[in-house]
Amino acid sequence: MPELPEVEVTRQRIAPLLLGRRIACVETTGDSYFFLTKPAKLRRALPGRTAVALDRHGKYLVVTLDNRARLVLHLGMTGQLFGGGVTSVRLLSAAARASLAPEAQPVFRPDSHTHLRLRFADGVPDILFRDVRKFGKVFLVAEGEVNPRLAKLGVDALRATSGDLFPLLRRRHTAIKNVLLDQSVIAGVGNIYADEALFLAGVRPLRRASRVTRAECERIVEALHQVLRRSIETGGSSISDYLAPDGNDGGYQDERRIYAREGEACRRCGGRVRRIVIGQRSAHFCARCQH
DNA sequence: ACCGCACCCTGAGCGC
DNA sequence: TGCGCTCAGGGTGCGG
């Protein structure tokens, strides 16, 4: 699932395919809540525009256009953004994969889950946004318009300090895990990195936020920076659907210490990794290493 | 102001 | 083989 590192890797790899190129044509699927801006409006408004910047705010990608409008993308749970011409068996359905020669690497063709396609001049690779579950989002923000979804985002997780976080923890009586996932507190942290950071910091995910000490808060922020940076370095985590824009898996899933390791041995003490549910989401922890 | 929960969606994996 | 069920989860919005 795309969290800050996966979105950042996507940003870095999509930028050279996007920046400075004039959009010639836009293809979309039909109306759905995936499109917070009507797809017909996107098809009308985007051609002729050139992207001048590609930024990331938390898990949002923000494309600034030459008319100062912004095209905003969120990958949701299963969103994949990649350049045209990508070859990857991972992008095929299980059925299509099964009928393929083992070493074949067919070029991906836009399918019914490819909701947005930006096309450029002839011969320039296009950019595809695919999202099977449609939890992702696409919308346009006019120049000067304040978008509430972007406005309420907290400090980006890579820039967050314990000075940002600790005062907020004092006021919250819910589990620390819930607060780390709250994008209005710290933007960019999702389920994987929240669990990883809490494990490294030695704090149980169910601990009430208001009972986290200042020293623990500092360890949590430090651990978040460590896991997020390392994941970006290794290309992100490909645990369920995430693929880097070149169609390949990231590498961080192999470095996971706790997430989705229920029943396996804790990498620090050898104890059994436990899984519980907090706020409708799975949380993983080691009862011996986390207090 | 804060908290918990239902909901949006679809493919994978399971039991029968 | 194939059906139907459950599960996964980011973010929003609701009711308490």
Side-chain angles (χ1 to χ4, degrees), chain A residues 29-247:
Chain A
T29 50
D31 283 10
S32 70
Y33 69 93
F34 178 84
F35 290 106
L36 298 183
T37 297
K38 292 263 188 203
K41 182 171 181 182
L42 296 175
R43 296 196 299 268
R44 217 171 38 239
L46 293 177
R49 301 269 65 91
T50 299
V52 298
L54 178 60
D55 299 299
R56 182 189 55 74
H57 293 175
K59 303 178 196 173
Y60 286 90
L61 285 172
V62 181
V63 182
T64 303
L65 303 169
D66 55 357
N67 64 351
R68 302 296 199 108
R70 288 169 291 163
L71 175 68
V72 183
L73 312 174
H74 193 292
L75 300 180
M77 281 276 305
T78 53
Q80 300 164 325
L81 193 63
F82 45 86
V86 67
T87 59
S88 171
V89 289
R90 283 265 314 221
L91 284 166
L92 300 177
S93 68
R97 259 198 307 269
S99 65
L100 215 63
E103 16 1 274
Q105 283 283 337
V107 173
F108 173 73
R109 303 275 173 223
D111 61 358
S112 63
H113 301 303
T114 304
H115 300 295
L116 180 70
R117 181 183 189 190
L118 304 181
R119 305 183 67 177
F120 304 92
D122 286 348
V124 175
D126 50 8
I127 291 176
L128 306 165
F129 186 1
R130 182 173 188 266
D131 185 358
V132 169
R133 287 184 206 170
K134 291 201 285 192
F135 280 17
K137 293 280 175 283
V138 176
F139 57 96
L140 207 50
V141 181
E143 178 182 7
E145 182 186 340
V146 176
N147 178 271
R149 289 167 200 263
L150 298 180
K152 74 175 194 186
L153 291 177
V155 58
D156 191 81
L158 281 178
R159 280 195 283 273
T161 66
S162 59
D164 296 319
L165 184 59
F166 190 61
L168 296 168
L169 296 187
R170 302 303 300 271
R171 301 195 279 114
R172 301 290 295 267
H173 287 219
T174 191
I176 178 66
K177 169 87 185 269
N178 283 336
V179 179
L180 294 182
L181 293 179
D182 183 341
Q183 301 300 297
S184 70
V185 174
I186 289 186
V189 181
N191 218 20
I192 299 172
Y193 302 101
D195 279 4
E196 295 294 312
L198 287 170
F199 173 75
L200 283 179
V203 176
R204 287 197 194 191
L206 260 182
R207 178 98 66 85
R208 263 180 195 249
S210 55
R211 306 282 288 272
V212 170
T213 67
R214 182 177 285 278
E216 287 170 333
C217 178
E218 285 168 9
R219 292 210 302 271
I220 289 170
V221 170
E222 193 56 40
L224 272 177
H225 290 167
Q226 180 187 328
V227 297
L228 294 172
R229 289 208 186 99
R230 177 62 187 158
S231 183
I232 292 169
E233 278 173 22
T234 58
S237 298
S238 294
I239 290 178
S240 55
D241 299 83
Y242 173 75
L243 285 180
D246 56 8

Side-chain angles (χ1 to χ4, degrees), chain A residues 177 191-192 194-199 203-206 256-263 272-278 281-287 290:
Chain A
K177 169 87 185 269
N191 218 20
I192 299 172
D195 279 4
E196 295 294 312
L198 287 170
F199 173 75
V203 176
R204 287 197 194 191
L206 260 182
R256 267 176 305 140
R257 293 168 174 88
I258 200 87
Y259 182 80
R261 297 192 61 244
E262 182 186 13
R272 196 174 60 84
V273 173
R274 297 174 56 181
R275 175 183 177 276
I276 57 175
V277 173
I278 305 176
R281 297 228 160 95
S282 60
H284 309 80
F285 71 103
C286 171
Q290 292 168 264

